[in-house]
Amino acid sequence: YVGPVSFMKLPWIKDPAGIPALVGVLGDYGGYDYHGADGPNIGQAAQEALSEFPYDLTAAECLRQLSANPNAKARAGIPVFFIILYDNALDNPVAQQHLASYFPALIEDLKNDPSPEVKCGLIELIIVCDGPSLVPLLTEYLQHPLARVRGKAASSLAEYYKSRESLPAILDVLSREKEAAALRGMLSAVEYFEAREAVPLIIPLLAHRDREIRARAAGLLGTFKSRKAVPALLEAMQNDSGDGRVAGQAIAALGQIGDPVAVEPIISCLDHPKPDVYTAAIDALRDLDDPRASQPLVNLINHQKGYQALSALSCMSDPRIPGLILGVCPAVRYDAFRADIAEYFGEKKVSQALAILCQWLKSRDSLVRYHCAEALGRIGSRDALPALKEALKKEQDVAAKESLQEAIKALQ
């Protein structure tokens, strides 16, 4: 029963004698499709084969093996297939009713199975299939000895059952929880319920040993805009020695919170080598909208971070920004940045940029010429007409020519 040829034949021969063996390998998922050159994905092939048999035969065997099969990996694949069975019966009320009759036994298996993979799969199954309410049982499972089960119980109570009355129990467990597998589900529940009262419990997680938990905690504190978290977030930002994900989340949170004390520390992250960090720093400085960040962001315009920096600057209110950008224009060599700057000058109607825009009308790049002409038309100074008309005489690019014509028309 484990050969790919046998699996692929079973849907046609429909031999019920193969059902026990097929159910027994439902958990054997590999990295390849069952007809792939590197060998069969046994679990997927078994699912497809079993789907060809009467649902009552396969469901009964699934239930039997949940109690009798000693292999936890084999049992773990059964809830996934049971969901497929239920989905396939959506247009068959008789089949649905028959499958629903298994729910009491499935809940007993849920209570008795020692494997966290099987328990989590059964929780998912009973929820997806709209079985009897699991709220009381899941509330009990918040105290379960297996961390993954505690996390699954917390996230299920929030996302599936929307049981806000279970939130005090979730927060009580969260206050003592140390295991990342459980904390993931509990933080999902806190996020779902928008439980701002959890902030004092989340702040210590910024120092958790698991990087993902630290990053999730930082993200939640930003969502809740908790000023109490600012010192801990600054510490998490400065102490991140990994891939930058934690620092990036901490910086984003500081931007959302909006405390000006974070401006200088975030400015120092603009030169960080990790993209997660410096991109978060640029976005956070945009959100903080503090004049201290204007010059440091302008200094990035002629570098690979220039587009994002200019985008941030265009959202900020410091009146010095157009002049600061104008000051670095002579050093800008990349045509893409020149085009973006010209577009910015046009949107902001920066009259002081007239000379540099007229100069860039001679650029070899048609996109630069297009945006310069467009910007000059928006600024509205008739002093640009001679340069625009001269450029129009030489222009060969269709889009740039149209932009020049429209600018001239607007100014005349």
Side-chain angles (χ1 to χ4, degrees), residues 192-243:
Y192 183 87
F193 288 132
E194 298 180 1
R196 298 178 186 277
E197 61 267 40
V199 165
L201 306 178
I202 299 172
I203 291 175
L205 296 180
L206 291 171
H208 195 271
R209 62 182 179 276
D210 185 273
R211 185 185 307 166
E212 180 187 348
I213 298 301
R214 298 198 300 274
R216 288 281 301 276
L220 272 176
L221 291 167
T223 300
F224 295 154
K225 297 184 178 180
S226 170
R227 287 184 179 267
K228 294 179 181 178
V230 168
L233 285 166
L234 287 170
E235 186 175 354
M237 177 190 81
Q238 293 160 351
N239 292 342
D240 183 13
S241 58
D243 59 4

Side-chain angles (χ1 to χ4, degrees), residues 1 3 5 35 45 112 114 131 134 151 163 166 168 175 183 190-191 200 217 228 230 287 294 300 368-369 373 395 402:
Y1 294 115
V5 176
H35 50 70
N112 298 328
L134 285 179
S163 175
S166 65
S175 68
L183 286 168
V190 167
E191 182 176 17
K228 294 179 181 178
V230 168
D287 295 339
S294 299
L300 298 178
V368 175
R369 300 195 300 273
E395 188 56 67
E402 289 179 357

Side-chain angles (χ1 to χ4, degrees), residues 304-325:
Q304 63 176 0
K305 310 165 190 175
Y307 175 79
Q308 189 184 1
L310 188 61
S311 177
L313 287 162
S314 67
C315 298
M316 295 169 63
S317 59
D318 184 355
R320 301 175 302 139
I321 290 175
L324 293 173
I325 294 176

Side-chain angles (χ1 to χ4, degrees), residues 26-42:
L26 279 171
D28 288 342
Y29 282 88
Y32 308 98
D33 193 50
Y34 69 86
H35 50 70
D38 294 285
N41 183 327
I42 303 296

